[in-house]
Amino acid sequence: MASDNNANNEPLPEEDVKSVVDTWIDLAKIPTVGGAYILEDDNFLNVVTKWAVTDIAKKDGVCFARTYSVLKSSLESGNPIISTPGPVTVDEKLSIVAKSGKKKAVLVEKSGDGDAKTEYLQIWDQNTLLKTYNLGELDLHKSVYTHAGWGITMAWSKNENKLAYLAEKKVLKAKSFYTTATAPKPKEESEKKDDKEKPPIGEEFVLKQTWGEKLTSQYFSVIVVLDIESNEFKVLPLPDDQFPTDIQWVCDTYIVGTSYPIPIWRLGLMACSNRESVIFSVQADGENFRTITEAGKACRSPRVRPDGGYLVWQERILDGAHDRARAINGVALNEGQPSGQPCVIYESAPQNGMPVYQDFFRNCWSTDGNTLFVVTPNEGTSICLAITVGPPVQVTKIERVDSLLWITKDYLLVSSSTTLTSPQLNLLCISESYKPVAITQAISPIEFQTLKELVYGEASPPSIFYGPAITSVAPNSVPMVVVPHGGPHGGYVDSFSLGFGVLRLNYIGGTGGNRDTADELLGKVGDRDVKDCQGMVEKILNSIPSLNPNQVGVFGGSHGGYLACHLSSAYPDAYKAAVALNPVTDFGTMVGTSDIADWVYAEAGVALPNPPQIQTLIPTARNLQDAEKFIKHRPFIMLIKVRVYPDNHSLLKPAVELDFMIHSALWLKRYVR
């Protein structure tokens, strides 16, 4: 949205366009941490890291590895000696390092004729490639799962002689009622015994329900166990009504994981922690499948203590809010089976002020099994909670942790960043109250003095403003872009991003606060969140003299795009331009077409069964009153320009991100200034 007049429709000067493009190219060179592990000997900590960066020319992501060799004796001095060879590019879909660091499983993909691609599973030790399996030739399953939405999709057993992974189930291709293969055969041929499973007839057009955004090619998952020594692959025979995900070994004999009971009608899973799910265990041969948690809950992220004697997971109620705070539950295990009653270890209650909103990382237990680590947004930053399982349970707050990468006896390896500094690696010394030792220096392209201020609205996490320092610029000279987060049950933390006069808005109902406020927004979207956002915009404009209140734009994606539409419509004099990425614009049509129809019901305040039963959720307004509620929450805007991208909802493909970010910057540059 923008003012439409002849002057503003003139092409921007070439130097302005070039400046925006060059800036984006510079930003694309900044890598992000993809994973890491530590190989330790008597003298060195060898930190092996994987990074991701965008190749602008190829419009694709590129991964590279880099090893930091840290002299142990130098860590005590506070001035670590680090040897860092140059980066080495890696080409892999997935790689999993065993706990010892001595073995690694790597999934690679090779293109064949046409669009055909074949997956290969490689087994490496520290010196060489040990084995390679052509998964296409084995023909036991379809593609291996690699999407982060499924949690842990590949895991080593404790003795590192077995590997378990998730893959798409192989289903025989259905045939038409009549093909040459189904034509009547001679009597003697038809009487021949054929033990092979026959493909279904007349089922080629049966609807295959998907799990929604980014998960549209996964229909039925299976667990595959590879015995490295015997080279035997086994697809575990699990119940047909279960969809296993996020797997871990219990020593070498059992596997635990999360499973989604396959409903009559599948709803989307991306960013939806409210879907019914259970924690299960099963023997490594597929026998003795059992559920550990009760039905009617949303359970996820199971993690086994290193000795195999205890299991923890996260649990929340089933309701309309797609994300909210979660409790941490646990149960003792005996040979992979529960040996007692599950109990609550950590309750995300208002009194402790540090609710949990994120899944566990792959490595989340201390080596002695006494402490559990979980990263979560909290009051505008990203922190790590160190929770001793107890009794008694004790909690330590570790500041400035974006992700937890690896754990040794003495150190946590984490990545951290701030609004104005890119990700860097840190070793946190466990014995010294998690004192940090930097390994990498952050790459920051900011070349001017910056100001960062916090502004509070109805939400407990603050909104974050950053821009030029007051002393460096004249009054009323700085334009501002307002950026509300998506969700709406999401949140911003002080982590790496770039901008010039940017206000990242945390509003009521989002995650990351010291209490769960999800319920306070349900049925009030488009009203309470809009007023909360506008109140904070006015606060920051009144508190920073350098900002020009007549040069304000709004930019947001998903529910942030919804708010961009609402803010620019409700306060047309306050915003000169709006950029709405993948916005929610019409609840009435969305309820009948979206894979998250329950989101529409919940956010619009339309009553759902309690607990919500998917089969009773009708994807349309059930009466005039419900239809009016959907209409009431719909933003009304006048478009000037629309761009359509072939990237579903996320808009994160490199070519798509390149296009929309540059166009957004040019749009705001044209109309806000």
Side-chain angles (χ1 to χ4, degrees):
M1 173 185 174
S3 300
D4 189 11
N5 57 62
N6 292 332
N8 280 342
N9 282 329
E10 292 295 325
L12 284 171
E14 279 189 26
E15 57 269 23
D16 285 3
V17 177
K18 184 177 185 303
S19 173
V20 170
V21 174
D22 288 347
T23 299
W24 176 252
I25 291 174
D26 287 341
L27 297 181
K29 296 175 184 176
I30 301 173
T32 57
V33 184
Y37 62 96
I38 294 177
L39 295 171
E40 185 174 4
D41 58 31
D42 292 338
N43 298 313
F44 288 94
L45 289 173
N46 296 302
V47 182
V48 185
T49 65
K50 185 170 72 172
W51 301 75
V53 70
T54 300
D55 186 327
I56 293 294
K58 290 176 61 180
K59 296 182 176 61
D60 200 359
V62 177
C63 292
F64 65 90
R66 197 167 194 178
T67 301
Y68 302 85
S69 296
V70 186
L71 186 63
K72 285 184 177 179
S73 58
S74 69
L75 288 169
E76 299 175 0
S77 67
N79 187 22
I81 298 174
I82 304 171
S83 172
T84 310
V88 178
T89 57
V90 294
D91 183 15
E92 59 189 32
K93 291 183 66 178
L94 180 68
S95 63
I96 304 298
V97 178
K99 185 61 179 175
S100 69
K102 296 178 180 179
K103 283 185 180 179
K104 181 166 72 169
V106 178
L107 182 71
V108 297
E109 189 174 67
K110 181 180 179 182
S111 297
D113 297 333
D115 296 330
K117 294 182 179 180
T118 301
E119 291 181 330
Y120 295 84
L121 180 60
Q122 301 173 340
I123 307 298
W124 295 78
D125 66 7
Q126 292 177 275
N127 300 310
T128 189
L129 175 64
L130 299 178
K131 298 182 178 183
T132 299
Y133 303 96
N134 184 326
L135 299 182
E137 288 181 351
L138 291 172
D139 197 27
L140 296 172
H141 53 74
K142 294 185 178 180
S143 296
V144 176
Y145 284 14
T146 59
H147 195 280
W150 298 125
I152 296 175
T153 62
M154 187 176 287
W156 285 96
S157 65
K158 184 177 182 179
N159 289 336
E160 302 179 6
N161 59 354
K162 293 179 182 178
L163 187 74
Y165 61 89
L166 293 168
E168 179 69 12
K169 182 178 181 180
K170 179 187 175 184
V171 178
L172 291 177
K173 186 177 180 180
K175 294 186 177 181
S176 170
F177 281 112
Y178 183 86
T179 67
T180 54
T182 60
K185 297 178 177 60
K187 183 176 180 180
E188 61 275 9
E189 185 176 345
S190 64
E191 291 175 349
K192 292 179 181 178
K193 291 184 179 180
D194 186 3
D195 295 329
K196 293 184 179 179
E197 185 180 355
K198 295 182 179 180
I201 303 297
E203 300 292 313
E204 70 268 40
F205 299 112
V206 169
L207 171 67
K208 288 185 176 181
Q209 291 192 58
T210 77
W211 293 108
E213 178 194 355
K214 293 187 182 180
L215 306 175
T216 55
S217 61
Q218 285 91 40
Y219 301 99
F220 296 98
S221 61
V222 293
I223 300 174
V224 184
V225 174
L226 165 62
D227 187 314
I228 305 296
E229 296 173 356
S230 67
N231 300 320
E232 179 185 1
F233 286 77
K234 182 175 180 60
V235 179
L236 303 191
L238 303 183
D240 291 337
D241 61 348
Q242 297 290 327
F243 191 98
T245 67
D246 204 1
I247 55 174
Q248 273 210 332
W249 284 88
V250 183
C251 299
D252 297 283
T253 55
Y254 270 83
I255 293 170
V256 298
T258 300
S259 181
Y260 294 93
I262 298 177
I264 297 173
W265 175 24
R266 299 191 194 190
L267 295 177
L269 290 181
M270 286 300 300
C272 302
S273 68
N274 62 333
R275 302 298 182 228
E276 182 175 4
S277 49
V278 295
I279 306 300
F280 71 88
S281 69
V282 64
Q283 288 178 198
D285 59 2
E287 298 295 323
N288 201 17
F289 177 93
R290 64 171 293 179
T291 57
I292 295 174
T293 57
E294 62 183 21
K297 298 286 186 179
C299 304
R300 57 192 297 130
S301 201
R303 298 295 182 263
V304 180
R305 197 170 66 190
D307 65 0
Y310 203 81
L311 170 70
V312 296
W313 65 91
Q314 297 180 6
E315 185 171 308
R316 58 160 289 189
I317 61 172
L318 296 178
D319 66 0
H322 273 207
D323 202 9
R324 64 161 67 250
R326 315 159 189 178
I328 299 177
N329 292 8
V331 68
L333 296 178
N334 182 15
E335 295 185 354
Q337 295 292 302
S339 59
Q341 290 297 315
C343 64
V344 177
I345 297 172
Y346 184 85
E347 183 64 67
S348 288
Q351 55 266 27
N352 61 40
M354 293 183 291
V356 172
Y357 295 100
Q358 289 184 194
D359 290 354
F360 295 121
F361 284 85
R362 173 183 291 269
N363 300 303
C364 64
W365 283 98
S366 61
T367 56
D368 61 12
N370 293 329
T371 307
L372 178 70
F373 299 93
V374 59
V375 175
T376 188
N378 182 258
E379 289 301 281
T381 65
S382 184
I383 65 171
C384 181
L385 300 180
I387 304 172
T388 57
V389 176
V393 174
Q394 295 179 327
V395 181
T396 301
K397 179 179 177 181
I398 308 171
E399 302 284 358
R400 293 279 173 216
V401 176
D402 292 344
S403 60
L404 178 62
L405 303 171
W406 200 260
I407 301 175
T408 70
K409 182 173 70 70
D410 301 310
Y411 295 98
L412 303 184
L413 178 63
V414 305
S415 69
S416 61
S417 65
T418 69
T419 302
L420 300 172
T421 56
S422 58
Q424 67 177 29
L425 298 176
N426 283 294
L427 285 171
L428 306 184
C429 184
I430 296 174
S431 63
E432 296 186 26
S433 300
Y434 307 104
K435 177 182 176 182
V437 178
I439 298 178
T440 60
Q441 296 300 314
I443 303 170
S444 177
I446 302 296
E447 297 178 353
F448 48 82
Q449 284 188 313
T450 56
L451 168 71
K452 183 176 77 175
E453 286 202 4
L454 305 180
V455 56
Y456 287 85
E458 293 189 56
S460 60
S463 295
I464 306 165
F465 171 83
Y466 49 99
I470 295 175
T471 57
S472 65
V473 294
N476 295 324
S477 63
V478 178
M480 182 174 73
V481 177
V482 175
V483 187
H485 64 69
H489 311 296
Y492 282 135
V493 295
D494 184 13
S495 59
F496 181 64
S497 65
L498 287 172
F500 189 79
V502 175
L503 177 60
R504 304 171 77 187
L505 287 168
N506 283 320
Y507 46 86
I508 190 71
T511 59
N514 55 28
R515 63 187 182 90
D516 191 338
T517 62
D519 291 336
E520 297 181 37
L521 187 58
L522 299 181
K524 302 179 181 68
V525 295
D527 179 32
R528 191 170 179 185
D529 48 359
V530 174
K531 292 174 181 175
D532 193 13
C533 287
Q534 184 62 20
M536 288 181 283
V537 170
E538 292 172 2
K539 278 185 182 180
I540 205 73
L541 288 173
N542 291 330
S543 65
I544 300 181
S546 61
L547 292 176
N548 187 334
N550 296 316
Q551 293 183 338
V552 180
V554 58
F555 173 104
S558 194
H559 194 81
Y562 171 82
L563 287 175
C565 296
H566 264 298
L567 285 166
S568 58
S569 298
Y571 307 95
D573 295 334
Y575 300 95
K576 297 300 181 183
V579 176
L581 305 174
N582 49 33
V584 176
T585 57
D586 192 331
F587 278 40
T589 57
M590 185 177 174
V591 75
T593 58
S594 170
D595 54 58
I596 53 170
D598 65 314
W599 180 94
V600 186
Y601 277 71
E603 303 304 334
V606 176
L608 282 170
N610 188 20
Q613 299 296 317
I614 291 175
Q615 55 265 39
T616 63
L617 180 61
I618 304 171
T620 186
R622 292 171 292 193
N623 51 54
L624 183 59
Q625 290 73 26
D626 288 353
E628 289 176 345
K629 289 181 180 179
F630 294 146
I631 293 172
K632 181 182 71 172
H633 294 282
R634 179 174 58 184
F636 294 89
I637 63 168
M638 180 178 67
L639 298 176
I640 304 301
K641 278 194 176 181
V642 176
R643 293 183 178 274
V644 180
Y645 297 104
D647 193 20
N648 205 299
H649 186 70
S650 63
L651 304 184
L652 290 180
K653 291 181 180 177
V656 171
E657 188 178 33
L658 166 72
D659 189 84
F660 84 68
M661 285 301 294
I662 290 177
H663 274 296
S664 297
L666 293 174
W667 182 261
L668 294 169
K669 191 176 184 68
R670 174 193 295 273
Y671 291 105
V672 171
R673 284 188 179 275

